Amino acid sequence: SLTTFATVAKATGADMGSIAETTASISQQFQLTDPKQIQEVLASLVYQGKAGAIELSDLASGFQRIAAAGAAFGVSKDVAGVRKLGGFAQLGKQGTGNAEQLFTAMENMFKAFQEKSGDFAKAGVKIYEGKGAAKHTRNFDEILIDAISKVGGKNVEKKNEELNKLFGTEAMRAINPLVAKYQGAFQGATG
């Protein structure tokens, strides 16, 4: 692992301690222990950071928080789950001022899903699938798509108001870039 940490540190400018903490958090929260899986996850996060809004050196400082929130919500405990968290962090960073605000926004998003699942359901957005022992959370990216497209209908002002009620101001910071993309596509669509 030290060789992997050193390679990632050199590529990103993050310190090895932060990388080790991030890796430990990923390992704990997502039960990823295979060194090849860890390398794959770190490579994905490095790539996302190079192409995105938040670099691994910044992400490393708080990935433990979003990994814990995501895992507690039910984000898939595999490489794909970590990639989704990293990818959403890249999008969410566009709506927040800094990495710390991003981490808080993402934690609040997962908290809103859990605490307001009934309110989401009233708006036509299912947080959970299945019944009884088979009940599980849906993929958070699918929930976000449903929420952004369904809540508030076609009225942009009502949509923003209703989404803000469901998610809260902090979480909306991370979600706003997605809402803006949806609204841009919706306004440009015909038929």
Side-chain angles (χ1 to χ4, degrees):
S1 294
L2 288 176
T3 303
T4 300
F5 297 165
T7 302
V8 171
K10 186 168 182 159
T12 64
D15 66 90
M16 282 187 39
S18 293
I19 294 166
E21 286 178 30
T22 300
T23 303
S25 178
I26 291 167
S27 180
Q28 272 184 332
Q29 301 297 335
F30 294 90
Q31 284 88 45
L32 298 177
T33 56
D34 181 343
K36 291 197 184 296
Q37 288 179 313
I38 297 295
Q39 287 174 343
E40 189 177 343
V41 163
L42 289 174
S44 293
L45 294 175
V46 169
Y47 177 76
Q48 289 172 344
K50 292 292 184 189
I54 185 168
E55 294 184 8
L56 184 63
S57 57
D58 294 323
L59 191 59
S61 67
F63 198 82
Q64 303 89 320
R65 290 173 51 194
I66 59 176
F73 176 70
V75 172
S76 64
K77 295 187 181 219
D78 54 16
V79 173
V82 178
R83 282 185 182 151
K84 280 185 184 182
L85 281 177
F88 183 71
Q90 295 301 329
L91 291 171
K93 176 63 170 72
Q94 296 170 20
T96 60
N98 59 44
E100 184 62 31
Q101 289 174 344
L102 169 68
F103 305 140
T104 300
M106 288 181 70
E107 287 173 319
N108 285 331
M109 176 190 73
F110 288 119
K111 184 177 178 183
F113 287 154
Q114 291 172 314
E115 292 180 355
K116 297 182 179 180
S117 63
D119 294 334
F120 278 97
K122 287 177 190 172
V125 179
K126 290 193 284 184
I127 303 296
Y128 302 98
E129 291 181 311
K131 296 186 188 260
K135 184 177 176 180
H136 63 280
T137 56
R138 294 177 59 216
N139 291 327
F140 78 91
D141 52 330
E142 294 171 4
I143 297 169
L144 284 171
I145 291 167
D146 281 355
I148 292 168
S149 64
K150 292 179 179 179
V151 172
K154 296 178 182 180
N155 182 316
V156 173
E157 286 180 31
K158 185 176 179 185
K159 180 177 290 300
N160 289 334
E161 182 182 315
E162 294 297 316
L163 285 170
N164 197 45
K165 283 181 188 175
L166 287 171
F167 286 105
T169 304
E170 284 296 323
M172 281 304 295
R173 289 181 175 189
I175 298 164
N176 277 333
L178 294 172
V179 173
K181 289 196 182 298
Y182 172 82
Q183 290 172 347
F186 181 77
Q187 291 169 349
T190 58

